[in-house]
mmCIF file with all atom_site columns, all heavy atoms in Angstrom:
data_model
loop_
_atom_site.group_PDB
_atom_site.id
_atom_site.type_symbol
_atom_site.label_atom_id
_atom_site.label_alt_id
_atom_site.label_comp_id
_atom_site.label_asym_id
_atom_site.label_entity_id
_atom_site.label_seq_id
_atom_site.pdbx_PDB_ins_code
_atom_site.Cartn_x
_atom_site.Cartn_y
_atom_site.Cartn_z
_atom_site.occupancy
_atom_site.B_iso_or_equiv
_atom_site.pdbx_formal_charge
_atom_site.auth_seq_id
_atom_site.auth_comp_id
_atom_site.auth_asym_id
_atom_site.auth_atom_id
_atom_site.pdbx_PDB_model_num
ATOM 1   N N   . SER A 1 166 ? 2.410  -14.176 0.361   1.00 0.00 ? 178 SER A N   1
ATOM 2   C CA  . SER A 1 166 ? 1.050  -13.638 0.559   1.00 0.00 ? 178 SER A CA  1
ATOM 3   C C   . SER A 1 166 ? 1.081  -12.246 1.226   1.00 0.00 ? 178 SER A C   1
ATOM 4   O O   . SER A 1 166 ? 0.242  -11.377 0.949   1.00 0.00 ? 178 SER A O   1
ATOM 5   C CB  . SER A 1 166 ? 0.206  -14.654 1.249   1.00 0.00 ? 178 SER A CB  1
ATOM 6   O OG  . SER A 1 166 ? 0.157  -15.832 0.594   1.00 0.00 ? 178 SER A OG  1
ATOM 7   N N   . VAL A 1 167 ? 1.955  -12.090 2.211   1.00 0.00 ? 179 VAL A N   1
ATOM 8   C CA  . VAL A 1 167 ? 1.988  -10.919 3.078   1.00 0.00 ? 179 VAL A CA  1
ATOM 9   C C   . VAL A 1 167 ? 2.775  -9.861  2.237   1.00 0.00 ? 179 VAL A C   1
ATOM 10  O O   . VAL A 1 167 ? 2.323  -8.723  2.153   1.00 0.00 ? 179 VAL A O   1
ATOM 11  C CB  . VAL A 1 167 ? 2.753  -11.134 4.417   1.00 0.00 ? 179 VAL A CB  1
ATOM 12  C CG1 . VAL A 1 167 ? 3.019  -9.821  5.125   1.00 0.00 ? 179 VAL A CG1 1
ATOM 13  C CG2 . VAL A 1 167 ? 1.976  -12.097 5.250   1.00 0.00 ? 179 VAL A CG2 1
ATOM 14  N N   . THR A 1 168 ? 3.862  -10.181 1.656   1.00 0.00 ? 180 THR A N   1
ATOM 15  C CA  . THR A 1 168 ? 4.716  -9.134  1.003   1.00 0.00 ? 180 THR A CA  1
ATOM 16  C C   . THR A 1 168 ? 3.987  -8.602  -0.333  1.00 0.00 ? 180 THR A C   1
ATOM 17  O O   . THR A 1 168 ? 4.019  -7.416  -0.650  1.00 0.00 ? 180 THR A O   1
ATOM 18  C CB  . THR A 1 168 ? 6.064  -9.695  0.603   1.00 0.00 ? 180 THR A CB  1
ATOM 19  O OG1 . THR A 1 168 ? 5.933  -10.845 -0.310  1.00 0.00 ? 180 THR A OG1 1
ATOM 20  C CG2 . THR A 1 168 ? 6.883  -10.078 1.802   1.00 0.00 ? 180 THR A CG2 1
ATOM 21  N N   . PHE A 1 169 ? 3.283  -9.538  -1.055  1.00 0.00 ? 181 PHE A N   1
ATOM 22  C CA  . PHE A 1 169 ? 2.499  -9.153  -2.208  1.00 0.00 ? 181 PHE A CA  1
ATOM 23  C C   . PHE A 1 169 ? 1.308  -8.205  -1.801  1.00 0.00 ? 181 PHE A C   1
ATOM 24  O O   . PHE A 1 169 ? 1.003  -7.262  -2.536  1.00 0.00 ? 181 PHE A O   1
ATOM 25  C CB  . PHE A 1 169 ? 2.015  -10.379 -2.904  1.00 0.00 ? 181 PHE A CB  1
ATOM 26  C CG  . PHE A 1 169 ? 3.077  -10.946 -3.833  1.00 0.00 ? 181 PHE A CG  1
ATOM 27  C CD1 . PHE A 1 169 ? 2.883  -12.218 -4.321  1.00 0.00 ? 181 PHE A CD1 1
ATOM 28  C CD2 . PHE A 1 169 ? 4.295  -10.300 -4.033  1.00 0.00 ? 181 PHE A CD2 1
ATOM 29  C CE1 . PHE A 1 169 ? 3.858  -12.786 -5.117  1.00 0.00 ? 181 PHE A CE1 1
ATOM 30  C CE2 . PHE A 1 169 ? 5.269  -10.927 -4.864  1.00 0.00 ? 181 PHE A CE2 1
ATOM 31  C CZ  . PHE A 1 169 ? 5.057  -12.270 -5.287  1.00 0.00 ? 181 PHE A CZ  1
ATOM 32  N N   . ALA A 1 170 ? 0.706  -8.524  -0.566  1.00 0.00 ? 182 ALA A N   1
ATOM 33  C CA  . ALA A 1 170 ? -0.373 -7.670  -0.122  1.00 0.00 ? 182 ALA A CA  1
ATOM 34  C C   . ALA A 1 170 ? 0.213  -6.264  0.257   1.00 0.00 ? 182 ALA A C   1
ATOM 35  O O   . ALA A 1 170 ? -0.534 -5.220  -0.069  1.00 0.00 ? 182 ALA A O   1
ATOM 36  C CB  . ALA A 1 170 ? -1.023 -8.359  1.070   1.00 0.00 ? 182 ALA A CB  1
ATOM 37  N N   . LEU A 1 171 ? 1.299  -6.244  0.911   1.00 0.00 ? 183 LEU A N   1
ATOM 38  C CA  . LEU A 1 171 ? 1.899  -4.892  1.206   1.00 0.00 ? 183 LEU A CA  1
ATOM 39  C C   . LEU A 1 171 ? 2.266  -4.228  -0.159  1.00 0.00 ? 183 LEU A C   1
ATOM 40  O O   . LEU A 1 171 ? 2.053  -2.963  -0.231  1.00 0.00 ? 183 LEU A O   1
ATOM 41  C CB  . LEU A 1 171 ? 3.189  -5.098  1.974   1.00 0.00 ? 183 LEU A CB  1
ATOM 42  C CG  . LEU A 1 171 ? 2.876  -5.587  3.517   1.00 0.00 ? 183 LEU A CG  1
ATOM 43  C CD1 . LEU A 1 171 ? 4.312  -6.013  4.066   1.00 0.00 ? 183 LEU A CD1 1
ATOM 44  C CD2 . LEU A 1 171 ? 2.286  -4.472  4.302   1.00 0.00 ? 183 LEU A CD2 1
ATOM 45  N N   . GLY A 1 172 ? 2.853  -4.864  -1.126  1.00 0.00 ? 184 GLY A N   1
ATOM 46  C CA  . GLY A 1 172 ? 3.239  -4.213  -2.405  1.00 0.00 ? 184 GLY A CA  1
ATOM 47  C C   . GLY A 1 172 ? 1.945  -3.724  -3.130  1.00 0.00 ? 184 GLY A C   1
ATOM 48  O O   . GLY A 1 172 ? 1.969  -2.580  -3.680  1.00 0.00 ? 184 GLY A O   1
ATOM 49  N N   . LEU A 1 173 ? 0.874  -4.516  -3.146  1.00 0.00 ? 185 LEU A N   1
ATOM 50  C CA  . LEU A 1 173 ? -0.361 -4.194  -3.656  1.00 0.00 ? 185 LEU A CA  1
ATOM 51  C C   . LEU A 1 173 ? -0.908 -2.940  -3.031  1.00 0.00 ? 185 LEU A C   1
ATOM 52  O O   . LEU A 1 173 ? -1.546 -1.963  -3.695  1.00 0.00 ? 185 LEU A O   1
ATOM 53  C CB  . LEU A 1 173 ? -1.335 -5.253  -3.811  1.00 0.00 ? 185 LEU A CB  1
ATOM 54  C CG  . LEU A 1 173 ? -2.635 -5.115  -4.401  1.00 0.00 ? 185 LEU A CG  1
ATOM 55  C CD1 . LEU A 1 173 ? -2.314 -4.786  -5.992  1.00 0.00 ? 185 LEU A CD1 1
ATOM 56  C CD2 . LEU A 1 173 ? -3.570 -6.298  -4.303  1.00 0.00 ? 185 LEU A CD2 1
ATOM 57  N N   . SER A 1 174 ? -0.841 -2.865  -1.708  1.00 0.00 ? 186 SER A N   1
ATOM 58  C CA  . SER A 1 174 ? -1.354 -1.743  -0.925  1.00 0.00 ? 186 SER A CA  1
ATOM 59  C C   . SER A 1 174 ? -0.720 -0.487  -1.406  1.00 0.00 ? 186 SER A C   1
ATOM 60  O O   . SER A 1 174 ? -1.346 0.595   -1.566  1.00 0.00 ? 186 SER A O   1
ATOM 61  C CB  . SER A 1 174 ? -1.208 -1.955  0.600   1.00 0.00 ? 186 SER A CB  1
ATOM 62  O OG  . SER A 1 174 ? -1.868 -3.183  1.036   1.00 0.00 ? 186 SER A OG  1
ATOM 63  N N   . SER A 1 175 ? 0.707  -0.540  -1.499  1.00 0.00 ? 187 SER A N   1
ATOM 64  C CA  . SER A 1 175 ? 1.481  0.602   -1.960  1.00 0.00 ? 187 SER A CA  1
ATOM 65  C C   . SER A 1 175 ? 1.030  1.013   -3.299  1.00 0.00 ? 187 SER A C   1
ATOM 66  O O   . SER A 1 175 ? 0.835  2.284   -3.583  1.00 0.00 ? 187 SER A O   1
ATOM 67  C CB  . SER A 1 175 ? 2.954  0.340   -1.821  1.00 0.00 ? 187 SER A CB  1
ATOM 68  O OG  . SER A 1 175 ? 3.670  1.361   -2.352  1.00 0.00 ? 187 SER A OG  1
ATOM 69  N N   . PHE A 1 176 ? 0.766  0.087   -4.121  1.00 0.00 ? 188 PHE A N   1
ATOM 70  C CA  . PHE A 1 176 ? 0.528  0.385   -5.622  1.00 0.00 ? 188 PHE A CA  1
ATOM 71  C C   . PHE A 1 176 ? -0.869 1.066   -5.666  1.00 0.00 ? 188 PHE A C   1
ATOM 72  O O   . PHE A 1 176 ? -1.022 2.039   -6.418  1.00 0.00 ? 188 PHE A O   1
ATOM 73  C CB  . PHE A 1 176 ? 0.532  -0.919  -6.387  1.00 0.00 ? 188 PHE A CB  1
ATOM 74  C CG  . PHE A 1 176 ? 0.014  -0.833  -7.754  1.00 0.00 ? 188 PHE A CG  1
ATOM 75  C CD1 . PHE A 1 176 ? 0.692  -0.409  -8.814  1.00 0.00 ? 188 PHE A CD1 1
ATOM 76  C CD2 . PHE A 1 176 ? -1.341 -1.328  -7.998  1.00 0.00 ? 188 PHE A CD2 1
ATOM 77  C CE1 . PHE A 1 176 ? 0.203  -0.377  -10.043 1.00 0.00 ? 188 PHE A CE1 1
ATOM 78  C CE2 . PHE A 1 176 ? -1.916 -1.295  -9.282  1.00 0.00 ? 188 PHE A CE2 1
ATOM 79  C CZ  . PHE A 1 176 ? -1.105 -0.766  -10.220 1.00 0.00 ? 188 PHE A CZ  1
ATOM 80  N N   . LEU A 1 177 ? -1.824 0.477   -5.027  1.00 0.00 ? 189 LEU A N   1
ATOM 81  C CA  . LEU A 1 177 ? -3.149 1.150   -4.979  1.00 0.00 ? 189 LEU A CA  1
ATOM 82  C C   . LEU A 1 177 ? -3.210 2.471   -4.361  1.00 0.00 ? 189 LEU A C   1
ATOM 83  O O   . LEU A 1 177 ? -3.958 3.320   -4.915  1.00 0.00 ? 189 LEU A O   1
ATOM 84  C CB  . LEU A 1 177 ? -4.158 0.206   -4.180  1.00 0.00 ? 189 LEU A CB  1
ATOM 85  C CG  . LEU A 1 177 ? -4.448 -1.237  -4.890  1.00 0.00 ? 189 LEU A CG  1
ATOM 86  C CD1 . LEU A 1 177 ? -5.326 -1.949  -3.977  1.00 0.00 ? 189 LEU A CD1 1
ATOM 87  C CD2 . LEU A 1 177 ? -5.118 -1.030  -6.266  1.00 0.00 ? 189 LEU A CD2 1
ATOM 88  N N   . TYR A 1 178 ? -2.357 2.720   -3.293  1.00 0.00 ? 190 TYR A N   1
ATOM 89  C CA  . TYR A 1 178 ? -2.453 4.006   -2.731  1.00 0.00 ? 190 TYR A CA  1
ATOM 90  C C   . TYR A 1 178 ? -1.871 5.191   -3.560  1.00 0.00 ? 190 TYR A C   1
ATOM 91  O O   . TYR A 1 178 ? -2.354 6.266   -3.805  1.00 0.00 ? 190 TYR A O   1
ATOM 92  C CB  . TYR A 1 178 ? -1.659 3.964   -1.386  1.00 0.00 ? 190 TYR A CB  1
ATOM 93  C CG  . TYR A 1 178 ? -1.697 5.270   -0.686  1.00 0.00 ? 190 TYR A CG  1
ATOM 94  C CD1 . TYR A 1 178 ? -2.864 5.741   -0.036  1.00 0.00 ? 190 TYR A CD1 1
ATOM 95  C CD2 . TYR A 1 178 ? -0.505 5.974   -0.516  1.00 0.00 ? 190 TYR A CD2 1
ATOM 96  C CE1 . TYR A 1 178 ? -2.814 6.981   0.624   1.00 0.00 ? 190 TYR A CE1 1
ATOM 97  C CE2 . TYR A 1 178 ? -0.530 7.282   0.141   1.00 0.00 ? 190 TYR A CE2 1
ATOM 98  C CZ  . TYR A 1 178 ? -1.615 7.616   0.717   1.00 0.00 ? 190 TYR A CZ  1
ATOM 99  O OH  . TYR A 1 178 ? -1.745 8.893   1.398   1.00 0.00 ? 190 TYR A OH  1
ATOM 100 N N   . TYR A 1 179 ? -0.606 4.852   -4.176  1.00 0.00 ? 191 TYR A N   1
ATOM 101 C CA  . TYR A 1 179 ? -0.120 5.913   -4.997  1.00 0.00 ? 191 TYR A CA  1
ATOM 102 C C   . TYR A 1 179 ? -0.888 6.191   -6.290  1.00 0.00 ? 191 TYR A C   1
ATOM 103 O O   . TYR A 1 179 ? -0.968 7.348   -6.773  1.00 0.00 ? 191 TYR A O   1
ATOM 104 C CB  . TYR A 1 179 ? 1.424  5.748   -5.258  1.00 0.00 ? 191 TYR A CB  1
ATOM 105 C CG  . TYR A 1 179 ? 1.808  4.922   -6.465  1.00 0.00 ? 191 TYR A CG  1
ATOM 106 C CD1 . TYR A 1 179 ? 1.614  5.326   -7.703  1.00 0.00 ? 191 TYR A CD1 1
ATOM 107 C CD2 . TYR A 1 179 ? 2.219  3.579   -6.191  1.00 0.00 ? 191 TYR A CD2 1
ATOM 108 C CE1 . TYR A 1 179 ? 2.037  4.517   -8.817  1.00 0.00 ? 191 TYR A CE1 1
ATOM 109 C CE2 . TYR A 1 179 ? 2.633  2.731   -7.344  1.00 0.00 ? 191 TYR A CE2 1
ATOM 110 C CZ  . TYR A 1 179 ? 2.486  3.198   -8.580  1.00 0.00 ? 191 TYR A CZ  1
ATOM 111 O OH  . TYR A 1 179 ? 2.884  2.415   -9.654  1.00 0.00 ? 191 TYR A OH  1
ATOM 112 N N   . ASN A 1 180 ? -1.486 5.221   -6.819  1.00 0.00 ? 192 ASN A N   1
ATOM 113 C CA  . ASN A 1 180 ? -2.454 5.298   -7.979  1.00 0.00 ? 192 ASN A CA  1
ATOM 114 C C   . ASN A 1 180 ? -3.597 6.184   -7.504  1.00 0.00 ? 192 ASN A C   1
ATOM 115 O O   . ASN A 1 180 ? -4.242 6.980   -8.332  1.00 0.00 ? 192 ASN A O   1
ATOM 116 C CB  . ASN A 1 180 ? -2.832 4.131   -8.670  1.00 0.00 ? 192 ASN A CB  1
ATOM 117 C CG  . ASN A 1 180 ? -1.672 3.583   -9.544  1.00 0.00 ? 192 ASN A CG  1
ATOM 118 O OD1 . ASN A 1 180 ? -1.555 4.127   -10.661 1.00 0.00 ? 192 ASN A OD1 1
ATOM 119 N ND2 . ASN A 1 180 ? -0.943 2.508   -9.153  1.00 0.00 ? 192 ASN A ND2 1
ATOM 120 N N   . TYR A 1 181 ? -4.154 5.867   -6.362  1.00 0.00 ? 193 TYR A N   1
ATOM 121 C CA  . TYR A 1 181 ? -5.309 6.607   -5.809  1.00 0.00 ? 193 TYR A CA  1
ATOM 122 C C   . TYR A 1 181 ? -4.942 8.109   -5.727  1.00 0.00 ? 193 TYR A C   1
ATOM 123 O O   . TYR A 1 181 ? -5.711 9.047   -6.045  1.00 0.00 ? 193 TYR A O   1
ATOM 124 C CB  . TYR A 1 181 ? -5.734 6.006   -4.506  1.00 0.00 ? 193 TYR A CB  1
ATOM 125 C CG  . TYR A 1 181 ? -6.611 7.003   -3.722  1.00 0.00 ? 193 TYR A CG  1
ATOM 126 C CD1 . TYR A 1 181 ? -7.980 7.129   -4.060  1.00 0.00 ? 193 TYR A CD1 1
ATOM 127 C CD2 . TYR A 1 181 ? -6.155 7.533   -2.587  1.00 0.00 ? 193 TYR A CD2 1
ATOM 128 C CE1 . TYR A 1 181 ? -8.725 8.027   -3.314  1.00 0.00 ? 193 TYR A CE1 1
ATOM 129 C CE2 . TYR A 1 181 ? -6.905 8.413   -1.876  1.00 0.00 ? 193 TYR A CE2 1
ATOM 130 C CZ  . TYR A 1 181 ? -8.210 8.660   -2.179  1.00 0.00 ? 193 TYR A CZ  1
ATOM 131 O OH  . TYR A 1 181 ? -9.003 9.479   -1.433  1.00 0.00 ? 193 TYR A OH  1
#
Side-chain angles (χ1 to χ4, degrees):
S178 298
V179 173
T180 58
F181 283 165
L183 291 168
L185 186 61
S186 300
S187 176
F188 170 79
L189 293 175
Y190 181 70
Y191 85 76
N192 277 287
Y193 162 75

